[in-house]
Amino acid sequence: MASIIEIEGLTKSYASGFKALNGVDLTIEEGEIFALLGPNGAGKTTMISIICGIARASSGSVKVAGHDIVRDYRGARAAIGLVPQELSTDQFERVIDTVTFSRGLFGKPRNPAHVEKILRDLSLWDKRNAKILELSGGMKRRVMIAKALSHEPRVLFLDEPTAGVDVELRRDMWKLIGQLRETGVTIILTTHYIEEAEEMADRVGVINRGELMLVEDKTALMKKLGKKTLTVVLAERLDAVPAELAEWQVTLKGDGQEIEYIFDTQAERTGVSSLLRRLGDLGIGYKDLNTAQSSLEDIFVALVHREKAA
Amino acid sequence: MSLSNLRAIAAIYKFELHRFRRTLLTGLLVPVITTTLYFVVFGGAIGSRMTEVDGIPYAAFIVPGLIMMAMFTESIFNASFGIYMPKFTGTIYELLSAPVSATETIIAYVGAAATKSLIIGTIIFLTAHLFVDVPVAHPLAMVGFMILIAVSFCLFGFILGIWAQSFEQLQVIPMLLIMPMTFLGGAFYSVQMLAEPWRTITLFNPIVYLISGFRWTFFGKGDVGIEFSLIFVAGMLTICLGIIGWMFRTGYRLKK
């Protein structure tokens, strides 16, 4: 895959001395869904703002679709669609007018058929003549996506796309993002909902205090850093963990009714079979077993905490 | 100067005029009513006691000043509001992230605001004709002067809109600076009527030169020579363009 965004040594410092970004290097491949994760104030929005032309970088360079965002800003910006975090809309405008306006702003000729398609895809066609102020928050978010897509961008930035929307709409949004990817649009999303990244992203980047801590293929990341938890539901309650199980560092849960064992999926020996054998040797019966993979959220929290500790 | 995204200019221009259409009734009625009131108060009440100024009937004499006063206010208001509102609502992100140059942005916003201002100036001119016979000695110069004034004050308003960080700041310069300077700039009287030292002091007010120049296009004479008026307009245009150019180059109060 060819790269569509190339970021080198991107830094953003403020007069106060605060560094929002500190030498970020990142390459985004065309057609992928890239999730940028990070706590509040990590630098996610700053990075997007610089790429899109809303903020100025202190140093470093960014190319979008081969165009430098400063020297060839027209080429770079024409390739980008942006849905910012805040619901910023012209409240008194009609839906169809604001989407048509966005297309013109990006220098594209009128194309009512394309605008209609976007509005239909986003379930906004019935609301096309409604003023934006009459719409719900979720619908306004869709209008912002429609505006961002109006000029047929190659890259779509979604800054916290599902912040404040209900579960159903969030699911719809995920579906829509999946559909967009199928059309070849590269999607970069920032999110607080780790499940969102887990559900959709091809690659994940974790940013904290202005530094990109890691960029990994999502599946590989979960494999590499993921832990699994084995829960053994006991046939009979235990008062304490037998000393013979100390080697596995198990914990007693569920009021003595469950034993929990955390193991590394990447380890040569997971210790699962030996634990079960030892339970049998000790005459501890069990009636159920289940395993759970640690989520991206667990991985993210662990990473951020690890850095804080360092 | 970079002008390759003409569609963006058209989109912003149409958007701004559409905003004007939404408030068409108040947008047009207010200047008509205000002008009528000025005619009743100044043209009727005072004009009956002061029949002529420089050989021009007083009611006709105040017409250029009234048009200028409305155009100053409308130009500043429309242009400052046009760029301040996207900043206030947050929709400025779209303009900043679009492939639009500073020149295209200025042409679109200032062009739209100047259009509105010219429409209002024309309406006041026509309304004045309902009350008094107003001769126009240099019609082409009058139109040209109106355009220059509209553009200059819209550029000034545009600067104000970028600078302002609250609605109060948006109002403070037009209300506390432009309005008093207009009243003291010979809108309703000739500077020649003032005694010294007020006459000399008044000549430090740039508005005097603008109103005088516009009055010259009507009656062929003004308080100061037309060449001085043109120098002041050109100076204002240049300074405003310079400030706006700097604002876009540095991203002053536009970009983080």
Side-chain angles (χ1 to χ4, degrees), chain A residues 12 52-54 56 73-74 77 88 93 102 104-109 147, chain B residues 2 4-5 7 18 22 94 96-99 101 104 248-249 251 255-256:
Chain A
K12 174 71 181 177
C52 296
I54 294 168
R56 288 166 185 266
Y73 70 94
R74 286 188 196 269
R77 292 183 197 172
S88 309
E93 290 296 313
S102 297
L105 191 64
F106 278 76
K108 289 276 186 174
K147 282 165 77 68
Chain B
S2 174
S4 63
N5 193 352
R7 289 195 183 98
H18 184 235
R22 276 205 306 263
E94 199 174 21
L96 296 176
S97 63
S101 69
E104 288 157 355
F248 272 91
R249 263 197 315 280
K255 293 193 179 194
K256 288 178 222 161

PDB file of all heavy atoms in Angstrom, chain A residues 12 52-54 56 73-74 77 88 93 102 104-109 147, chain B residues 2 4-5 7 18 22 94 96-99 101 104 248-249 251 255-256:
ATOM      1  N   LYS A  12       4.855  20.832  18.117  1.00  0.00           N
ATOM      2  CA  LYS A  12       4.042  22.023  18.352  1.00  0.00           C
ATOM      3  C   LYS A  12       4.293  22.511  19.771  1.00  0.00           C
ATOM      4  O   LYS A  12       4.005  21.804  20.744  1.00  0.00           O
ATOM      5  CB  LYS A  12       2.547  21.690  18.164  1.00  0.00           C
ATOM      6  CG  LYS A  12       1.598  22.835  18.519  1.00  0.00           C
ATOM      7  CD  LYS A  12       1.658  23.952  17.521  1.00  0.00           C
ATOM      8  CE  LYS A  12       0.723  25.094  17.884  1.00  0.00           C
ATOM      9  NZ  LYS A  12       0.828  26.217  16.969  1.00  0.00           N
ATOM     10  N   CYS A  52      -4.607  19.387   8.971  1.00  0.00           N
ATOM     11  CA  CYS A  52      -5.721  19.972   8.205  1.00  0.00           C
ATOM     12  C   CYS A  52      -5.565  21.475   7.956  1.00  0.00           C
ATOM     13  O   CYS A  52      -6.360  22.046   7.203  1.00  0.00           O
ATOM     14  CB  CYS A  52      -7.037  19.710   8.930  1.00  0.00           C
ATOM     15  SG  CYS A  52      -7.426  17.960   9.016  1.00  0.00           S
ATOM     16  N   GLY A  53      -4.605  22.122   8.583  1.00  0.00           N
ATOM     17  CA  GLY A  53      -4.397  23.554   8.311  1.00  0.00           C
ATOM     18  C   GLY A  53      -5.020  24.477   9.328  1.00  0.00           C
ATOM     19  O   GLY A  53      -5.020  25.697   9.146  1.00  0.00           O
ATOM     20  N   ILE A  54      -5.531  23.930  10.417  1.00  0.00           N
ATOM     21  CA  ILE A  54      -6.189  24.768  11.432  1.00  0.00           C
ATOM     22  C   ILE A  54      -5.171  25.324  12.417  1.00  0.00           C
ATOM     23  O   ILE A  54      -5.352  26.392  12.977  1.00  0.00           O
ATOM     24  CB  ILE A  54      -7.280  23.948  12.155  1.00  0.00           C
ATOM     25  CG1 ILE A  54      -8.374  23.608  11.146  1.00  0.00           C
ATOM     26  CG2 ILE A  54      -7.871  24.693  13.334  1.00  0.00           C
ATOM     27  CD1 ILE A  54      -9.350  22.583  11.638  1.00  0.00           C
ATOM     28  N   ARG A  56      -0.750  25.729  13.283  1.00  0.00           N
ATOM     29  CA  ARG A  56       0.567  25.765  12.652  1.00  0.00           C
ATOM     30  C   ARG A  56       1.534  24.909  13.447  1.00  0.00           C
ATOM     31  O   ARG A  56       1.521  24.941  14.678  1.00  0.00           O
ATOM     32  CB  ARG A  56       1.097  27.201  12.630  1.00  0.00           C
ATOM     33  CG  ARG A  56       0.379  28.072  11.650  1.00  0.00           C
ATOM     34  CD  ARG A  56       0.712  29.532  11.924  1.00  0.00           C
ATOM     35  NE  ARG A  56      -0.065  30.381  11.050  1.00  0.00           N
ATOM     36  CZ  ARG A  56       0.370  30.836   9.877  1.00  0.00           C
ATOM     37  NH1 ARG A  56       1.579  30.540   9.461  1.00  0.00           N
ATOM     38  NH2 ARG A  56      -0.392  31.601   9.134  1.00  0.00           N
ATOM     39  N   TYR A  73      -0.438  23.724  -0.012  1.00  0.00           N
ATOM     40  CA  TYR A  73      -1.575  23.507   0.882  1.00  0.00           C
ATOM     41  C   TYR A  73      -2.870  23.180   0.140  1.00  0.00           C
ATOM     42  O   TYR A  73      -3.721  22.459   0.636  1.00  0.00           O
ATOM     43  CB  TYR A  73      -1.778  24.720   1.803  1.00  0.00           C
ATOM     44  CG  TYR A  73      -2.276  25.958   1.111  1.00  0.00           C
ATOM     45  CD1 TYR A  73      -3.622  26.257   1.042  1.00  0.00           C
ATOM     46  CD2 TYR A  73      -1.394  26.847   0.498  1.00  0.00           C
ATOM     47  CE1 TYR A  73      -4.084  27.398   0.412  1.00  0.00           C
ATOM     48  CE2 TYR A  73      -1.842  27.984  -0.140  1.00  0.00           C
ATOM     49  CZ  TYR A  73      -3.189  28.254  -0.186  1.00  0.00           C
ATOM     50  OH  TYR A  73      -3.645  29.379  -0.828  1.00  0.00           O
ATOM     51  N   ARG A  74      -2.986  23.709  -1.086  1.00  0.00           N
ATOM     52  CA  ARG A  74      -4.233  23.443  -1.823  1.00  0.00           C
ATOM     53  C   ARG A  74      -4.371  21.955  -2.140  1.00  0.00           C
ATOM     54  O   ARG A  74      -5.429  21.352  -1.931  1.00  0.00           O
ATOM     55  CB  ARG A  74      -4.258  24.241  -3.125  1.00  0.00           C
ATOM     56  CG  ARG A  74      -4.517  25.716  -2.936  1.00  0.00           C
ATOM     57  CD  ARG A  74      -4.715  26.345  -4.312  1.00  0.00           C
ATOM     58  NE  ARG A  74      -4.596  27.779  -4.288  1.00  0.00           N
ATOM     59  CZ  ARG A  74      -5.614  28.606  -4.095  1.00  0.00           C
ATOM     60  NH1 ARG A  74      -6.820  28.123  -3.885  1.00  0.00           N
ATOM     61  NH2 ARG A  74      -5.433  29.902  -4.109  1.00  0.00           N
ATOM     62  N   ARG A  77      -4.966  20.003   1.186  1.00  0.00           N
ATOM     63  CA  ARG A  77      -6.289  20.182   1.797  1.00  0.00           C
ATOM     64  C   ARG A  77      -7.408  19.615   0.937  1.00  0.00           C
ATOM     65  O   ARG A  77      -8.428  19.167   1.451  1.00  0.00           O
ATOM     66  CB  ARG A  77      -6.542  21.663   2.073  1.00  0.00           C
ATOM     67  CG  ARG A  77      -5.638  22.214   3.154  1.00  0.00           C
ATOM     68  CD  ARG A  77      -5.983  23.653   3.446  1.00  0.00           C
ATOM     69  NE  ARG A  77      -4.907  24.306   4.167  1.00  0.00           N
ATOM     70  CZ  ARG A  77      -4.875  25.611   4.427  1.00  0.00           C
ATOM     71  NH1 ARG A  77      -5.865  26.382   4.027  1.00  0.00           N
ATOM     72  NH2 ARG A  77      -3.876  26.145   5.074  1.00  0.00           N
ATOM     73  N   SER A  88     -19.914  21.939  15.288  1.00  0.00           N
ATOM     74  CA  SER A  88     -19.906  23.323  14.793  1.00  0.00           C
ATOM     75  C   SER A  88     -20.640  23.390  13.463  1.00  0.00           C
ATOM     76  O   SER A  88     -20.136  22.897  12.452  1.00  0.00           O
ATOM     77  CB  SER A  88     -18.468  23.795  14.593  1.00  0.00           C
ATOM     78  OG  SER A  88     -17.712  23.546  15.737  1.00  0.00           O
ATOM     79  N   GLU A  93     -28.867  27.329   8.553  1.00  0.00           N
ATOM     80  CA  GLU A  93     -28.798  26.842   7.168  1.00  0.00           C
ATOM     81  C   GLU A  93     -29.564  25.535   7.014  1.00  0.00           C
ATOM     82  O   GLU A  93     -29.678  24.758   7.965  1.00  0.00           O
ATOM     83  CB  GLU A  93     -27.337  26.610   6.770  1.00  0.00           C
ATOM     84  CG  GLU A  93     -26.527  27.869   6.602  1.00  0.00           C
ATOM     85  CD  GLU A  93     -27.015  28.740   5.467  1.00  0.00           C
ATOM     86  OE1 GLU A  93     -27.257  28.230   4.363  1.00  0.00           O
ATOM     87  OE2 GLU A  93     -27.172  29.954   5.699  1.00  0.00           O
ATOM     88  N   SER A 102     -20.106  23.345   1.275  1.00  0.00           N
ATOM     89  CA  SER A 102     -18.801  22.723   1.557  1.00  0.00           C
ATOM     90  C   SER A 102     -18.141  22.245   0.273  1.00  0.00           C
ATOM     91  O   SER A 102     -16.928  22.383   0.102  1.00  0.00           O
ATOM     92  CB  SER A 102     -18.972  21.539   2.511  1.00  0.00           C
ATOM     93  OG  SER A 102     -19.461  21.992   3.737  1.00  0.00           O
ATOM     94  N   GLY A 104     -18.496  23.457  -2.730  1.00  0.00           N
ATOM     95  CA  GLY A 104     -18.004  24.640  -3.445  1.00  0.00           C
ATOM     96  C   GLY A 104     -16.748  25.199  -2.797  1.00  0.00           C
ATOM     97  O   GLY A 104     -15.808  25.601  -3.484  1.00  0.00           O
ATOM     98  N   LEU A 105     -16.729  25.215  -1.467  1.00  0.00           N
ATOM     99  CA  LEU A 105     -15.580  25.748  -0.729  1.00  0.00           C
ATOM    100  C   LEU A 105     -14.305  24.986  -1.082  1.00  0.00           C
ATOM    101  O   LEU A 105     -13.216  25.555  -1.110  1.00  0.00           O
ATOM    102  CB  LEU A 105     -15.853  25.642   0.773  1.00  0.00           C
ATOM    103  CG  LEU A 105     -14.913  26.373   1.714  1.00  0.00           C
ATOM    104  CD1 LEU A 105     -14.984  27.875   1.495  1.00  0.00           C
ATOM    105  CD2 LEU A 105     -15.224  26.050   3.160  1.00  0.00           C
ATOM    106  N   PHE A 106     -14.456  23.713  -1.366  1.00  0.00           N
ATOM    107  CA  PHE A 106     -13.295  22.897  -1.711  1.00  0.00           C
ATOM    108  C   PHE A 106     -13.023  22.894  -3.216  1.00  0.00           C
ATOM    109  O   PHE A 106     -12.231  22.087  -3.717  1.00  0.00           O
ATOM    110  CB  PHE A 106     -13.451  21.472  -1.160  1.00  0.00           C
ATOM    111  CG  PHE A 106     -13.054  21.379   0.285  1.00  0.00           C
ATOM    112  CD1 PHE A 106     -13.885  21.859   1.289  1.00  0.00           C
ATOM    113  CD2 PHE A 106     -11.823  20.863   0.656  1.00  0.00           C
ATOM    114  CE1 PHE A 106     -13.514  21.817   2.618  1.00  0.00           C
ATOM    115  CE2 PHE A 106     -11.439  20.810   1.990  1.00  0.00           C
ATOM    116  CZ  PHE A 106     -12.288  21.292   2.972  1.00  0.00           C
ATOM    117  N   GLY A 107     -13.709  23.797  -3.925  1.00  0.00           N
ATOM    118  CA  GLY A 107     -13.407  24.006  -5.337  1.00  0.00           C
ATOM    119  C   GLY A 107     -14.002  22.988  -6.292  1.00  0.00           C
ATOM    120  O   GLY A 107     -13.586  22.911  -7.452  1.00  0.00           O
ATOM    121  N   LYS A 108     -14.967  22.226  -5.812  1.00  0.00           N
ATOM    122  CA  LYS A 108     -15.579  21.219  -6.689  1.00  0.00           C
ATOM    123  C   LYS A 108     -16.822  21.789  -7.368  1.00  0.00           C
ATOM    124  O   LYS A 108     -17.582  22.556  -6.748  1.00  0.00           O
ATOM    125  CB  LYS A 108     -15.999  20.002  -5.848  1.00  0.00           C
ATOM    126  CG  LYS A 108     -14.840  19.179  -5.348  1.00  0.00           C
ATOM    127  CD  LYS A 108     -14.412  18.198  -6.401  1.00  0.00           C
ATOM    128  CE  LYS A 108     -13.351  17.249  -5.879  1.00  0.00           C
ATOM    129  NZ  LYS A 108     -13.024  16.216  -6.833  1.00  0.00           N
ATOM    130  N   PRO A 109     -17.055  21.407  -8.641  1.00  0.00           N
ATOM    131  CA  PRO A 109     -18.258  21.896  -9.313  1.00  0.00           C
ATOM    132  C   PRO A 109     -19.519  21.297  -8.685  1.00  0.00           C
ATOM    133  O   PRO A 109     -19.450  20.251  -8.040  1.00  0.00           O
ATOM    134  CB  PRO A 109     -18.084  21.399 -10.750  1.00  0.00           C
ATOM    135  CG  PRO A 109     -17.144  20.255 -10.650  1.00  0.00           C
ATOM    136  CD  PRO A 109     -16.246  20.533  -9.488  1.00  0.00           C
ATOM    137  N   LYS A 147     -20.747  17.011   5.164  1.00  0.00           N
ATOM    138  CA  LYS A 147     -19.969  18.162   4.688  1.00  0.00           C
ATOM    139  C   LYS A 147     -18.534  17.734   4.379  1.00  0.00           C
ATOM    140  O   LYS A 147     -17.960  18.125   3.368  1.00  0.00           O
ATOM    141  CB  LYS A 147     -19.960  19.271   5.756  1.00  0.00           C
ATOM    142  CG  LYS A 147     -21.237  20.085   5.800  1.00  0.00           C
ATOM    143  CD  LYS A 147     -21.337  20.911   7.066  1.00  0.00           C
ATOM    144  CE  LYS A 147     -20.477  22.145   7.049  1.00  0.00           C
ATOM    145  NZ  LYS A 147     -20.868  23.182   6.101  1.00  0.00           N
TER     146      LYS A 147
ATOM    147  N   SER B   2      -3.195  34.791  -5.225  1.00  0.00           N
ATOM    148  CA  SER B   2      -3.502  33.453  -5.698  1.00  0.00           C
ATOM    149  C   SER B   2      -5.017  33.279  -5.841  1.00  0.00           C
ATOM    150  O   SER B   2      -5.744  33.347  -4.865  1.00  0.00           O
ATOM    151  CB  SER B   2      -2.947  32.459  -4.681  1.00  0.00           C
ATOM    152  OG  SER B   2      -3.326  31.174  -5.012  1.00  0.00           O
ATOM    153  N   SER B   4      -7.048  30.624  -7.648  1.00  0.00           N
ATOM    154  CA  SER B   4      -7.373  29.466  -8.465  1.00  0.00           C
ATOM    155  C   SER B   4      -8.640  28.760  -8.003  1.00  0.00           C
ATOM    156  O   SER B   4      -9.156  27.899  -8.687  1.00  0.00           O
ATOM    157  CB  SER B   4      -6.206  28.491  -8.497  1.00  0.00           C
ATOM    158  OG  SER B   4      -5.953  28.013  -7.201  1.00  0.00           O
ATOM    159  N   ASN B   5      -9.148  29.120  -6.828  1.00  0.00           N
ATOM    160  CA  ASN B   5     -10.375  28.481  -6.347  1.00  0.00           C
ATOM    161  C   ASN B   5     -11.544  29.470  -6.418  1.00  0.00           C
ATOM    162  O   ASN B   5     -12.028  29.970  -5.399  1.00  0.00           O
ATOM    163  CB  ASN B   5     -10.163  27.965  -4.913  1.00  0.00           C
ATOM    164  CG  ASN B   5     -11.281  27.032  -4.477  1.00  0.00           C
ATOM    165  OD1 ASN B   5     -12.287  26.882  -5.171  1.00  0.00           O
ATOM    166  ND2 ASN B   5     -11.106  26.405  -3.332  1.00  0.00           N
ATOM    167  N   ARG B   7     -14.490  28.840  -7.297  1.00  0.00           N
ATOM    168  CA  ARG B   7     -15.738  28.246  -6.772  1.00  0.00           C
ATOM    169  C   ARG B   7     -15.881  28.527  -5.274  1.00  0.00           C
ATOM    170  O   ARG B   7     -16.986  28.697  -4.771  1.00  0.00           O
ATOM    171  CB  ARG B   7     -15.753  26.737  -7.014  1.00  0.00           C
ATOM    172  CG  ARG B   7     -15.944  26.386  -8.478  1.00  0.00           C
ATOM    173  CD  ARG B   7     -16.321  24.937  -8.669  1.00  0.00           C
ATOM    174  NE  ARG B   7     -16.417  24.635 -10.080  1.00  0.00           N
ATOM    175  CZ  ARG B   7     -15.434  24.067 -10.781  1.00  0.00           C
ATOM    176  NH1 ARG B   7     -14.319  23.732 -10.200  1.00  0.00           N
ATOM    177  NH2 ARG B   7     -15.597  23.838 -12.070  1.00  0.00           N
ATOM    178  N   HIS B  18     -26.841  35.035   1.267  1.00  0.00           N
ATOM    179  CA  HIS B  18     -27.995  34.277   1.728  1.00  0.00           C
ATOM    180  C   HIS B  18     -28.337  34.665   3.165  1.00  0.00           C
ATOM    181  O   HIS B  18     -29.502  34.796   3.540  1.00  0.00           O
ATOM    182  CB  HIS B  18     -27.695  32.770   1.627  1.00  0.00           C
ATOM    183  CG  HIS B  18     -28.863  31.923   1.998  1.00  0.00           C
ATOM    184  ND1 HIS B  18     -28.801  30.956   2.959  1.00  0.00           N
ATOM    185  CD2 HIS B  18     -30.142  31.915   1.547  1.00  0.00           C
ATOM    186  CE1 HIS B  18     -29.985  30.390   3.091  1.00  0.00           C
ATOM    187  NE2 HIS B  18     -30.812  30.956   2.238  1.00  0.00           N
ATOM    188  N   ARG B  22     -31.861  36.329   4.605  1.00  0.00           N
ATOM    189  CA  ARG B  22     -32.642  35.832   5.744  1.00  0.00           C
ATOM    190  C   ARG B  22     -33.118  36.981   6.623  1.00  0.00           C
ATOM    191  O   ARG B  22     -34.153  36.892   7.268  1.00  0.00           O
ATOM    192  CB  ARG B  22     -31.779  34.883   6.596  1.00  0.00           C
ATOM    193  CG  ARG B  22     -31.743  33.468   6.107  1.00  0.00           C
ATOM    194  CD  ARG B  22     -31.424  32.521   7.244  1.00  0.00           C
ATOM    195  NE  ARG B  22     -30.214  32.876   7.944  1.00  0.00           N
ATOM    196  CZ  ARG B  22     -29.021  32.349   7.725  1.00  0.00           C
ATOM    197  NH1 ARG B  22     -28.886  31.414   6.808  1.00  0.00           N
ATOM    198  NH2 ARG B  22     -27.973  32.715   8.407  1.00  0.00           N
ATOM    199  N   GLU B  94     -13.784  24.922   8.894  1.00  0.00           N
ATOM    200  CA  GLU B  94     -13.982  24.493   7.512  1.00  0.00           C
ATOM    201  C   GLU B  94     -13.249  25.417   6.543  1.00  0.00           C
ATOM    202  O   GLU B  94     -12.627  24.965   5.583  1.00  0.00           O
ATOM    203  CB  GLU B  94     -15.488  24.468   7.195  1.00  0.00           C
ATOM    204  CG  GLU B  94     -15.790  23.624   5.986  1.00  0.00           C
ATOM    205  CD  GLU B  94     -17.250  23.462   5.714  1.00  0.00           C
ATOM    206  OE1 GLU B  94     -18.056  24.288   6.200  1.00  0.00           O
ATOM    207  OE2 GLU B  94     -17.601  22.518   4.986  1.00  0.00           O
ATOM    208  N   LEU B  96     -10.610  27.268   7.283  1.00  0.00           N
ATOM    209  CA  LEU B  96      -9.163  27.104   7.472  1.00  0.00           C
ATOM    210  C   LEU B  96      -8.639  25.808   6.871  1.00  0.00           C
ATOM    211  O   LEU B  96      -7.483  25.735   6.473  1.00  0.00           O
ATOM    212  CB  LEU B  96      -8.816  27.147   8.971  1.00  0.00           C
ATOM    213  CG  LEU B  96      -9.098  28.467   9.692  1.00  0.00           C
ATOM    214  CD1 LEU B  96      -8.809  28.339  11.173  1.00  0.00           C
ATOM    215  CD2 LEU B  96      -8.286  29.599   9.103  1.00  0.00           C
ATOM    216  N   SER B  97      -9.495  24.792   6.814  1.00  0.00           N
ATOM    217  CA  SER B  97      -9.031  23.503   6.284  1.00  0.00           C
ATOM    218  C   SER B  97      -9.343  23.343   4.797  1.00  0.00           C
ATOM    219  O   SER B  97      -9.065  22.298   4.220  1.00  0.00           O
ATOM    220  CB  SER B  97      -9.655  22.353   7.078  1.00  0.00           C
ATOM    221  OG  SER B  97     -11.058  22.362   6.923  1.00  0.00           O
ATOM    222  N   ALA B  98      -9.912  24.374   4.187  1.00  0.00           N
ATOM    223  CA  ALA B  98     -10.257  24.294   2.760  1.00  0.00           C
ATOM    224  C   ALA B  98      -9.103  24.831   1.904  1.00  0.00           C
ATOM    225  O   ALA B  98      -8.313  25.651   2.364  1.00  0.00           O
ATOM    226  CB  ALA B  98     -11.521  25.108   2.494  1.00  0.00           C
ATOM    227  N   PRO B  99      -9.019  24.382   0.664  1.00  0.00           N
ATOM    228  CA  PRO B  99      -7.946  24.883  -0.216  1.00  0.00           C
ATOM    229  C   PRO B  99      -8.260  26.293  -0.739  1.00  0.00           C
ATOM    230  O   PRO B  99      -8.490  26.502  -1.933  1.00  0.00           O
ATOM    231  CB  PRO B  99      -7.915  23.848  -1.347  1.00  0.00           C
ATOM    232  CG  PRO B  99      -9.279  23.252  -1.366  1.00  0.00           C
ATOM    233  CD  PRO B  99      -9.830  23.340   0.022  1.00  0.00           C
ATOM    234  N   SER B 101      -7.139  30.433  -0.596  1.00  0.00           N
ATOM    235  CA  SER B 101      -6.061  31.357  -0.230  1.00  0.00           C
ATOM    236  C   SER B 101      -6.623  32.544   0.552  1.00  0.00           C
ATOM    237  O   SER B 101      -7.843  32.765   0.580  1.00  0.00           O
ATOM    238  CB  SER B 101      -5.359  31.862  -1.488  1.00  0.00           C
ATOM    239  OG  SER B 101      -6.230  32.708  -2.202  1.00  0.00           O
ATOM    240  N   GLU B 104      -8.484  34.881  -1.795  1.00  0.00           N
ATOM    241  CA  GLU B 104      -9.836  34.395  -2.141  1.00  0.00           C
ATOM    242  C   GLU B 104     -10.802  34.614  -0.979  1.00  0.00           C
ATOM    243  O   GLU B 104     -11.953  35.024  -1.184  1.00  0.00           O
ATOM    244  CB  GLU B 104      -9.764  32.903  -2.495  1.00  0.00           C
ATOM    245  CG  GLU B 104      -9.090  32.635  -3.835  1.00  0.00           C
ATOM    246  CD  GLU B 104      -8.518  31.241  -3.960  1.00  0.00           C
ATOM    247  OE1 GLU B 104      -8.536  30.469  -2.983  1.00  0.00           O
ATOM    248  OE2 GLU B 104      -8.006  30.927  -5.050  1.00  0.00           O
ATOM    249  N   PHE B 248      -3.264  37.135   8.025  1.00  0.00           N
ATOM    250  CA  PHE B 248      -3.315  35.813   7.390  1.00  0.00           C
ATOM    251  C   PHE B 248      -1.942  35.147   7.374  1.00  0.00           C
ATOM    252  O   PHE B 248      -1.840  33.942   7.519  1.00  0.00           O
ATOM    253  CB  PHE B 248      -3.882  35.918   5.969  1.00  0.00           C
ATOM    254  CG  PHE B 248      -5.382  35.817   5.955  1.00  0.00           C
ATOM    255  CD1 PHE B 248      -6.167  36.952   6.036  1.00  0.00           C
ATOM    256  CD2 PHE B 248      -6.018  34.590   5.861  1.00  0.00           C
ATOM    257  CE1 PHE B 248      -7.553  36.871   6.048  1.00  0.00           C
ATOM    258  CE2 PHE B 248      -7.395  34.493   5.871  1.00  0.00           C
ATOM    259  CZ  PHE B 248      -8.167  35.639   5.957  1.00  0.00           C
ATOM    260  N   ARG B 249      -0.893  35.966   7.200  1.00  0.00           N
ATOM    261  CA  ARG B 249       0.454  35.388   7.185  1.00  0.00           C
ATOM    262  C   ARG B 249       0.816  34.781   8.539  1.00  0.00           C
ATOM    263  O   ARG B 249       1.386  33.704   8.632  1.00  0.00           O
ATOM    264  CB  ARG B 249       1.489  36.477   6.844  1.00  0.00           C
ATOM    265  CG  ARG B 249       1.888  36.503   5.368  1.00  0.00           C
ATOM    266  CD  ARG B 249       3.180  37.270   5.159  1.00  0.00           C
ATOM    267  NE  ARG B 249       3.254  38.528   5.862  1.00  0.00           N
ATOM    268  CZ  ARG B 249       2.690  39.661   5.466  1.00  0.00           C
ATOM    269  NH1 ARG B 249       2.011  39.687   4.337  1.00  0.00           N
ATOM    270  NH2 ARG B 249       2.815  40.776   6.167  1.00  0.00           N
ATOM    271  N   GLY B 251      -1.473  34.118  10.951  1.00  0.00           N
ATOM    272  CA  GLY B 251      -2.587  33.341  11.519  1.00  0.00           C
ATOM    273  C   GLY B 251      -3.171  34.007  12.753  1.00  0.00           C
ATOM    274  O   GLY B 251      -3.852  33.366  13.551  1.00  0.00           O
ATOM    275  N   LYS B 255      -5.555  31.079  13.506  1.00  0.00           N
ATOM    276  CA  LYS B 255      -5.003  29.739  13.686  1.00  0.00           C
ATOM    277  C   LYS B 255      -4.340  29.627  15.048  1.00  0.00           C
ATOM    278  O   LYS B 255      -3.807  30.606  15.559  1.00  0.00           O
ATOM    279  CB  LYS B 255      -3.952  29.446  12.606  1.00  0.00           C
ATOM    280  CG  LYS B 255      -4.534  29.339  11.228  1.00  0.00           C
ATOM    281  CD  LYS B 255      -3.537  28.754  10.279  1.00  0.00           C
ATOM    282  CE  LYS B 255      -4.168  28.629   8.892  1.00  0.00           C
ATOM    283  NZ  LYS B 255      -3.392  27.778   8.014  1.00  0.00           N
ATOM    284  N   LYS B 256      -4.360  28.389  15.577  1.00  0.00           N
ATOM    285  CA  LYS B 256      -3.699  28.167  16.876  1.00  0.00           C
ATOM    286  C   LYS B 256      -2.196  28.039  16.664  1.00  0.00           C
ATOM    287  O   LYS B 256      -1.755  27.500  15.689  1.00  0.00           O
ATOM    288  CB  LYS B 256      -4.233  26.882  17.493  1.00  0.00           C
ATOM    289  CG  LYS B 256      -5.644  26.995  17.994  1.00  0.00           C
ATOM    290  CD  LYS B 256      -6.085  25.643  18.527  1.00  0.00           C
ATOM    291  CE  LYS B 256      -7.510  25.329  18.109  1.00  0.00           C
ATOM    292  NZ  LYS B 256      -7.866  23.945  18.184  1.00  0.00           N
TER     293      LYS B 256
END
